[in-house]
Amino acid sequence: MFPQVKAKPDDTKARIIETADALFRRLGYAKTAVSDIAAELGMSPANIYRFFPSKNAIVEAICKRCLAEVEDKAWAVARSKASASDRLERVVLEILAYHKENLITDQRVNDIVLVAMEDSWQTIQAHKVAMCAIAEMILRDGIASGEFEPVDPHRTADLFMRSVLAFTHPLLIGKCLEEGQAVEDEARASVRFLLRAITPR
């Protein structure tokens, strides 16, 4: 007989998050109970509550995981060898592509996003800070190389990210797609329009 391997707490939390995410997408957030998640995992609801105090806390964990994936993709672009202008454009397009693929496939996923936005405000605020830091790093590179004017990189990064919100916010992306907009083309055009304001003439 083989000894039974006890799952580590981190492994159990990850399994709960993965299973809940799949059920929310399949059944919808409102129709999925903690007991459904527990049944899918073959454990008791009480065991779920050992790791997450509520269903909303599970959504927050899903939100954190998704936003961390977005940040990883954006940092990879920011640290690449392309020009600063190209990197800023690619960061926006990477975020757009991620949300198109993962978060706006149907109304059930939109419901998860809405819950996350209402109950994970600190997580979303931290994500905004991280994205501004990424844009600021690229802007500093562009300023140092003479590609951009010597603007305030912190303030400009904040303005830049606010200006491309339609291409980085999952619900706004969803609205653009519903209206049949060519969001990638519009994102490129918007980024290039913004960068002309800080490009030496």
Side-chain angles (χ1 to χ4, degrees), residues 36-133:
D36 297 320
I37 301 167
E40 191 82 4
L41 287 163
M43 61 176 64
S44 69
N47 202 33
I48 302 286
Y49 288 120
R50 284 180 53 223
F51 296 93
F52 298 99
S54 66
K55 187 169 75 166
N56 284 12
I58 300 173
V59 172
E60 182 171 3
I62 294 170
C63 178
K64 280 185 179 180
R65 184 189 62 177
C66 291
L67 295 180
E69 290 174 359
V70 171
E71 290 164 20
D72 288 346
K73 288 178 180 293
W75 276 118
V77 172
R79 293 174 177 135
S80 67
K81 300 298 184 183
S83 69
S85 296
D86 285 346
R87 281 183 281 160
L88 283 170
E89 182 177 306
R90 282 178 53 212
V91 162
V92 174
L93 291 174
E94 282 283 350
I95 299 168
L96 172 58
Y98 179 89
H99 288 317
K100 275 185 69 176
E101 181 181 351
N102 292 285
L103 296 179
I104 53 178
T105 52
D106 59 38
Q107 186 57 47
R108 286 170 295 187
V109 179
N110 276 345
D111 291 343
I112 302 171
V113 174
L114 286 170
V115 172
M117 289 176 63
E118 289 176 5
D119 296 323
S120 307
W121 190 243
Q122 286 185 329
T123 298
I124 291 168
Q125 286 298 103
H127 175 66
K128 289 179 180 178
V129 170
M131 297 311 299
C132 281

Side-chain angles (χ1 to χ4, degrees), residues 179-195:
E179 294 168 3
Q181 297 179 32
V183 284
E184 287 84 0
D185 291 342
E186 292 183 14
R188 288 188 185 92
S190 296
V191 170
R192 291 171 190 180
F193 174 80
L194 293 167
L195 293 182

